Amino acid sequence: MKKIVKVRNITIGDTTKICVSITDNNIKDIIKSFNDFQKLPIDIIEWRFDYFLYSLTENIDTILDDINFILSDIKKINNKPIIFTLRSKDEGGDFLLNKDNYRYLILFYKIIIESKYFDIIDFEFFNIKYKDLKSLVLLTQYNNIKTIFSNHNFNKTPREKEIISIIKKMISLNCDIVKIAYMAKTKKDVINVLNAYYRFSDNIPIIAISMGQLGTITRIFSCAISFAKVENSLSNNLGQIDVIKLKFILDSI
């Protein structure tokens, strides 16, 4: 039986759900985006917190106050699940992760989880130590928050055997959703990602993205959650499909 993950009023792992990302860097624009996105045919909103975060080594209380202010403001109008993502520069984001701020990152994640601000939290699988991943997963389970384990490579697509190995390791640590996103340079790269998706899609909801124009098909056929493009999006060259067009395609197949 196919594994389904339920978050608020939606299920993940059956039909493809549409997600758009908030990439604003200030409170006013973030709140505006949350409001604007309510009009779109989407299921989930991802808050790319790496574009907003100024420093993890400064006053964490101030950061939490900002989060609380934003979420309190949009609470009345938003009923969609929110993914919290702090994407590192190593994996295509804006957060500079290093040895000096790593312990603050883990502390911050724990506070975010215990505060129950978000429905789903994305953890970069290879940028968090094994023991920390285990403890974070246990904490999310206790607080009824779902987890995504993610791995991105904007330079290449690993061999199919390596992709399978990565997914197996992710599953072994009891995440709820797997996300892999690799840049496609050949059709074989796209096939490798699709094959990995169909190998595991009955075991766990999986987001298997082959980035770039070559891999656009994966946004339709191998994503439990498909990340769509909106007007003025920061990501225009990754093969993302416009949100309205994606909704039309998914409803037509």
Side-chain angles (χ1 to χ4, degrees):
M1 182 179 291
K2 201 165 190 176
K3 182 180 177 183
I4 305 296
V5 171
K6 185 171 176 59
V7 184
R8 292 203 199 187
N9 60 340
I10 72 161
T11 52
I12 301 170
D14 45 10
T15 57
T16 300
K17 300 302 183 290
I18 300 175
C19 178
V20 292
S21 301
I22 290 177
T23 56
D24 303 294
N25 63 6
N26 64 81
I27 291 175
K28 181 181 176 181
D29 288 341
I30 289 169
I31 292 174
K32 183 179 184 302
S33 290
F34 266 113
N35 278 274
D36 291 346
F37 287 176
Q38 304 306 312
K39 306 167 191 173
L40 298 175
I42 62 173
D43 305 288
I44 303 169
I45 295 174
E46 179 190 40
W47 185 359
R48 282 289 302 275
F49 199 73
D50 47 296
Y51 287 104
F52 176 71
L53 182 68
Y54 28 93
S55 174
L56 264 183
T57 56
E58 293 179 6
N59 192 344
I60 288 182
D61 287 339
T62 302
I63 300 170
L64 295 173
D65 286 343
D66 287 342
I67 294 173
N68 188 58
F69 177 82
I70 291 167
L71 295 182
S72 296
D73 190 275
I74 61 99
K75 189 175 183 179
K76 293 179 181 178
I77 58 98
N78 180 69
N79 64 352
K80 302 179 191 305
I82 302 174
I83 302 173
F84 177 84
T85 299
L86 186 55
R87 185 72 65 229
S88 71
K89 287 185 180 293
D90 289 345
E91 299 212 9
D94 210 48
F95 173 57
L96 181 60
L97 177 61
N98 53 46
K99 292 179 181 178
D100 295 329
N101 64 18
Y102 178 83
R103 65 187 181 92
Y104 291 99
L105 173 67
I106 301 305
L107 173 62
F108 184 58
Y109 273 136
K110 289 179 179 178
I111 295 171
I112 287 291
I113 294 166
E114 290 174 344
S115 300
K116 299 184 181 180
Y117 285 130
F118 302 99
D119 304 280
I120 306 171
I121 299 180
D122 180 309
F123 297 113
E124 291 182 348
F125 187 70
F126 288 112
N127 282 329
I128 300 177
K129 296 174 183 177
Y130 179 85
K131 65 179 180 64
D132 291 325
L133 273 175
K134 286 186 70 175
S135 66
L136 289 171
V137 167
L138 288 173
L139 195 58
T140 57
Q141 291 171 342
Y142 180 78
N143 287 281
N144 196 30
I145 295 167
K146 305 305 181 185
T147 55
I148 295 174
F149 281 177
S150 63
N151 177 228
H152 303 70
N153 191 319
F154 284 76
N155 297 312
K156 66 176 184 177
T157 297
R159 293 177 301 166
E160 183 178 335
K161 185 177 179 181
E162 186 179 347
I163 297 173
I164 289 169
S165 175
I166 289 168
I167 295 173
K168 283 182 176 178
K169 290 175 183 175
M170 290 177 170
I171 293 174
S172 72
L173 281 178
N174 297 315
C175 64
D176 296 294
I177 302 164
V178 163
K179 181 186 180 189
I180 54 167
Y182 303 128
M183 185 60 70
K185 294 185 176 179
T186 67
K187 292 178 181 178
K188 182 66 166 61
D189 289 340
V190 180
I191 291 170
N192 286 348
V193 169
L194 287 168
N195 285 344
Y197 169 82
Y198 286 108
R199 175 162 179 159
F200 292 100
S201 60
D202 284 341
N203 304 102
I204 191 168
I206 181 168
I207 305 161
I209 303 168
S210 195
M211 293 186 288
Q213 294 304 314
L214 270 176
T216 299
I217 190 174
T218 63
R219 306 277 179 175
I220 302 166
F221 292 108
S222 63
C223 287
I225 302 171
S226 188
F227 293 81
K229 181 172 64 175
V230 293
E231 192 176 357
N232 299 322
S233 170
L234 293 179
S235 300
N236 293 319
N237 62 341
L238 303 179
Q240 287 186 348
I241 303 171
D242 174 81
V243 62
I244 304 299
K245 186 182 291 185
L246 179 60
K247 175 65 175 172
F248 176 80
I249 293 170
L250 292 175
D251 285 348
S252 301
I253 58 176

